Amino acid sequence: MKMTDTLFGHTNDEPVMEYTLVNDSGMSVSCLNYSCTITKILVPDRCGNIENVVLGFDQFFDYLDLSPYFGCVVGRAAGRIRNAEFTLDGESCQLTANEEPNHLHGGKKGFHSVIWKSEPIETESAVGLKFFYRSKDGEEGYPGNLDTTIIYLLNNQNELSITYEARTDQKTIVNLTNHSYFNLSGNLKRDCSEHVLQLDGDRFLELDSDLIPTGRLLEAANTPFDFKHGRLLKSGMKSSHPQNVLAGNGYDHHLVFSKKGENTVVLTDKESGRTLLMTTDQPCVVLYTANHLEGLYSISGVRARNYLGVCLETQGLPIDFNQPHFPATLLNPDEVYRSTTTYRFFSKTIGV
């Protein structure tokens, strides 16, 4: 196993480095110190062809100008916060309304738009990187100085783990995730409509017209949101279910796992034979099928279009202090926020 690094660009006169982790099986993961962005994951298909299975740009300026959060860590709080404000201990916290009138994925200067300090990690069984960023008190409106560490580790079982840790000096809110867009066809040969998703979840969160959860937990059984036995993603893209239509003819929803503790998500592309087995300790995953990706730009030589990738954003339930049955992601000074999500890639179909 090894790690290499190259200069990828500059922002505000700071160098943006691309690090590439390679295991003994030939799998590699490339990422930036800018937003901890995962730019490439190269894995074999059933015939041994090694290809990229995430969406990313070849030039750094495209990440600045065009990226819909490709591959980055988002925070302090993933998702949308209604009217860009919340109340904490009786006081209103006004956040940046970067998606008027709401707050999205941490704001304009969220974790997705800053340089992180980085250092290499090498053990007997893995190679990786440790990223660190201090979000200062008041940044984007959030209270407290928040020290966040993100650890990427790649092992010889074709397994990439992402561990999130955060500490604060004031009570605050934290809800972190990685926003990679997966496409298991390899090098964007096809869209994700024929991908099959399987997970054990019996409920999903209803969205309003701003794509913010209303607080209602809806039953998934007998709807396009039931993935217990595996479901083609195109079934939601072509669905007349009001929630699929509202999201732009697809998915942009919190799928809530049926049980607490570690849960598993399986994504499969039968044509390539690739399978992603994802495990997480988070209570839900936001499934987004890139319903609004279409644009006048290219992604590694492929014209941007809807459904070209699928996001599996593991995270806590959405931060909404108006919904008392949602356990808000509060972090106190004497606590540590910690979560881990692991992505394991196979060159054969499993679990479906």
Side-chain angles (χ1 to χ4, degrees), residues 111 142 196 265 288 297 324 350:
F111 287 0
Y142 291 96
V196 177
V265 177
Y288 175 53
Y297 64 96
I350 64 170

Side-chain angles (χ1 to χ4, degrees), residues 1-297:
M1 292 180 288
K2 65 179 181 179
M3 185 190 77
T4 60
D5 62 87
T6 58
L7 181 66
F8 196 70
H10 289 85
T11 181
N12 298 323
D13 296 323
E14 291 187 84
V16 176
M17 303 301 297
E18 183 176 49
Y19 304 92
T20 298
L21 313 173
V22 184
N23 70 10
D24 296 339
S25 303
M27 174 181 169
S28 67
V29 177
S30 298
C31 56
L32 307 178
N33 60 340
Y34 177 81
S35 76
C36 307
T37 296
I38 294 174
T39 57
K40 296 189 238 7
I41 297 180
L42 304 180
V43 293
D45 65 5
R46 63 159 57 92
C47 298
N49 300 308
I50 296 178
E51 296 170 312
N52 187 21
V53 294
V54 293
L55 276 61
F57 293 115
D58 299 322
Q59 305 293 330
F60 176 62
F61 57 78
D62 285 335
Y63 283 100
L64 295 176
D65 298 336
L66 300 172
S67 179
Y69 302 97
F70 281 161
C72 65
V73 168
V74 294
R76 296 185 189 188
R80 294 174 174 87
I81 297 179
R82 191 184 311 278
N83 295 324
E85 66 176 341
F86 63 93
T87 301
L88 190 61
D89 291 341
E91 294 191 11
S92 176
C93 296
Q94 186 66 51
L95 305 176
T96 303
N98 60 314
E99 190 183 71
E100 291 282 357
N102 306 309
H103 177 84
L104 174 64
H105 288 334
K108 292 180 180 177
K109 190 186 177 184
F111 287 0
H112 67 282
S113 64
V114 297
I115 295 285
W116 293 60
K117 295 180 180 178
S118 60
E119 63 179 67
I121 301 172
E122 190 169 351
T123 70
E124 291 184 1
S125 58
V127 62
L129 287 154
K130 179 185 290 187
F131 295 102
F132 173 82
Y133 177 67
R134 165 165 278 201
S135 176
K136 294 182 179 180
D137 180 29
E139 186 171 276
E140 299 300 289
Y142 291 96
N145 293 300
L146 187 74
D147 292 326
T148 302
T149 301
I150 309 292
I151 297 174
Y152 291 173
L153 282 177
L154 175 67
N155 63 26
N156 280 330
Q157 285 70 53
N158 283 0
E159 193 173 71
L160 170 68
S161 66
I162 303 180
T163 299
Y164 308 81
E165 292 186 358
R167 294 172 172 83
T168 183
D169 59 4
Q170 296 180 46
K171 183 184 285 189
T172 191
I173 58 176
V174 183
N175 196 9
L176 306 178
T177 193
N178 181 275
H179 207 288
S180 287
Y181 290 67
F182 295 96
N183 184 322
L184 301 182
S185 72
N187 295 345
L188 305 182
K189 289 194 293 294
R190 300 177 298 279
D191 67 25
C192 292
S193 59
E194 296 290 332
H195 283 32
V196 177
L197 184 71
Q198 182 179 32
L199 62 88
D200 185 9
D202 52 16
R203 295 175 298 170
F204 69 99
L205 291 179
E206 179 186 60
L207 299 180
D208 67 13
S209 59
D210 287 333
L211 303 182
I212 296 176
T214 64
R216 292 185 64 202
L217 285 162
L218 304 181
E219 293 296 325
N222 301 313
T223 77
F225 296 85
D226 185 356
F227 293 93
K228 284 191 175 182
H229 303 291
R231 175 181 293 276
L232 284 166
L233 292 181
K234 71 178 180 183
S235 67
M237 299 168 185
K238 297 181 179 297
S239 167
S240 61
H241 190 290
Q243 283 290 297
N244 292 123
V245 174
L246 177 68
N249 298 309
Y251 298 97
D252 193 4
H253 294 79
H254 293 75
L255 308 180
V256 182
F257 294 118
S258 300
K259 63 182 180 64
K260 294 181 179 180
E262 186 174 88
N263 281 280
T264 298
V265 177
V266 180
L267 181 70
T268 300
D269 175 50
K270 292 187 177 181
E271 186 168 340
S272 71
R274 292 187 179 96
T275 294
L276 166 59
L277 174 67
M278 186 176 76
T279 57
T280 185
D281 55 12
Q282 293 284 49
C284 66
V285 58
V286 172
L287 169 64
Y288 175 53
T289 46
N291 317 319
H292 306 286
L293 192 64
E294 185 176 8
L296 300 176
Y297 64 96

